[in-house]
Amino acid sequence: MQDSHSTDDAAAPSFDQIQRFLFDATNVRGEIVTLDKAYAEVLDRHSYPQAISRQLGEMLAAVALLTETIKLDGTMTLEVRGTGIVRQLMAESNPGGELRAIARLSDEAVLPTEESSLQELVGQGQIVITLDPREGKRYQGIVAIDQDSLAGCLESYFSQSEQLPTRLWLMADGKRTGGVMLQQLPNDEANKDPDAWERVVHLAETLKAEELLTLAQQEVLHRLYHEETVRIYEPKALRFGCTCSRERLGAALHSIAADELRQIVAEQGELATQCHFCHTRYSFSAAEVEAIIEDPDAESPIVH
């Protein structure tokens, strides 16, 4: 293996970051992500059954991997919609390396077992991938939930929509989450190793959750690919972050009928709402609600 950068302590655990890597003289590239603090920030704000916590962890790892793969300068949302115990799983990334996630369960949900698969949790449903770049058009792709795992469903999406052989390994235990993604690019004269794809995928299949979730990323890659020539790039830091704001909520409130907004203020003395992702509470006075009704882009007359 060879690095494109040096490190003083390659064996130190490296979490809340993502690293790109590629195999020299091949058409294979990859990414590895591990999260602990960012994952904990998501779970600390809610009380989810273990099976849901694991699925949210896989969602966080997946959205980080997908965002880095396409190098999106914008927001990516990975959303699972279902009719079973889980009605919605959502994970989102933004250009600053911030991640957030949430789950919504059926009102009459029976608690799932820890081993419940994605299909068992969601029932009939679909996965929606939304790309919202800072510049350009918004894109949305639909993925069928026809596999037991999120990784399997996303692999099918890449095979059918992107036509790029792609393999994902997503793992979470309620405390840490991580993932590895391998992708085979179109062949060209730079590829001197036509057997590389099958070989590196086979080696990745040996990866254990304990290794991915406890070891430094470079150590994981060394264990898997110490006989390969791997170029590792600088890691990108990731963290929990929420994009909620008074301005965004004010714009959302403008879409509600004015009479309904005024009725809420008359009954409660204010209009209060809470972000589902981070639990930040926002309140709007009667004067602020009137300003939103008249002009959603106007500055609030009262600052909290």
Side-chain angles (χ1 to χ4, degrees):
M1 286 181 58
Q2 65 183 75
D3 301 343
S4 62
H5 66 283
S6 61
T7 177
D8 295 331
D9 187 6
S14 48
F15 301 112
D16 291 296
Q17 67 177 34
I18 187 167
Q19 277 190 303
R20 293 189 303 115
F21 59 93
L22 60 81
F23 299 87
D24 281 351
T26 78
N27 61 341
V28 182
R29 67 182 181 186
E31 298 163 11
I32 181 170
V33 63
T34 45
L35 303 166
D36 58 0
K37 292 180 181 178
Y39 184 27
E41 288 267 11
V42 169
L43 299 184
D44 286 348
R45 287 167 166 76
H46 303 275
S47 180
Y48 295 124
Q50 180 69 3
I52 308 301
S53 296
R54 286 194 300 101
Q55 288 295 333
L56 274 182
E58 291 187 11
M59 293 280 289
L60 283 166
V63 79
L65 291 168
L66 294 179
T67 301
E68 188 68 14
T69 296
I70 63 175
K71 299 193 174 49
L72 175 68
D73 183 20
T75 300
M76 171 180 281
T77 304
L78 182 63
E79 182 183 6
V80 174
R81 302 171 182 171
T83 58
I85 296 173
V86 174
R87 296 301 173 88
Q88 182 187 46
L89 296 168
M90 180 186 291
E92 185 180 275
S93 72
N94 68 34
E98 294 178 324
L99 306 170
R100 64 179 189 170
I102 194 172
R104 291 190 175 92
L105 311 185
S106 168
D107 293 336
E108 301 177 359
V110 177
L111 289 181
T113 65
E114 290 189 18
E115 295 76 24
S116 297
S117 68
L118 179 65
Q119 280 190 323
E120 290 170 337
L121 292 172
V122 175
Q124 298 295 318
Q126 60 186 9
I127 301 173
V128 181
I129 300 174
T130 304
L131 310 181
D132 193 3
R134 286 174 170 172
E135 298 182 3
K137 293 183 179 180
R138 192 167 179 259
Y139 166 83
Q140 198 166 71
I142 307 296
V143 185
I145 300 179
D146 54 5
Q147 307 285 334
D148 284 337
S149 68
L150 176 64
C153 294
L154 294 176
E155 286 175 357
S156 296
Y157 167 76
F158 273 98
S159 176
Q160 297 169 12
S161 301
E162 305 296 326
Q163 297 182 342
L164 288 176
T166 303
R167 293 296 310 275
L168 289 101
W169 293 265
L170 304 172
M171 304 172 188
D173 62 5
K175 294 182 180 179
R176 288 178 178 148
T177 183
V180 173
M181 184 175 187
L182 295 175
Q183 198 163 61
Q184 185 181 35
L185 302 176
N187 205 12
D188 59 25
E189 65 277 1
N191 180 19
K192 309 300 183 183
D193 187 353
D195 299 323
W197 174 248
E198 288 76 11
R199 189 173 64 251
V200 299
V201 167
H202 175 74
L203 291 169
E205 293 281 11
T206 68
L207 179 64
K208 297 179 175 62
E210 181 181 1
E211 294 174 314
L212 180 61
L213 302 181
T214 62
L215 300 178
Q217 291 176 352
Q218 290 194 39
E219 185 173 352
V220 172
L221 294 176
H222 178 75
R223 288 193 177 197
L224 292 176
Y225 300 123
H226 57 276
E227 295 184 355
E228 306 290 332
T229 304
V230 185
R231 189 176 301 275
I232 303 175
Y233 293 87
E234 287 285 351
K236 175 182 176 181
L238 302 172
R239 62 189 180 278
F240 172 82
C242 195
T243 55
C244 69
S245 67
R246 290 182 61 79
E247 292 74 17
R248 291 187 67 175
L249 285 171
L253 291 174
H254 186 71
S255 64
I256 301 174
D259 290 344
E260 184 177 347
L261 294 176
R262 289 175 176 136
Q263 182 179 351
I264 294 173
V265 172
E267 293 174 353
Q268 302 178 6
E270 65 176 4
L271 193 156
T273 187
Q274 187 178 58
C275 174
H276 294 298
F277 287 92
C278 68
H279 284 185
T280 299
R281 185 180 184 276
Y282 296 91
S283 63
F284 298 84
S285 67
E288 290 175 310
V289 170
E290 287 300 322
I292 289 170
I293 291 171
E294 296 299 324
D295 181 3
D297 297 324
E299 294 185 5
S300 297
I302 301 175
V303 178
H304 292 280

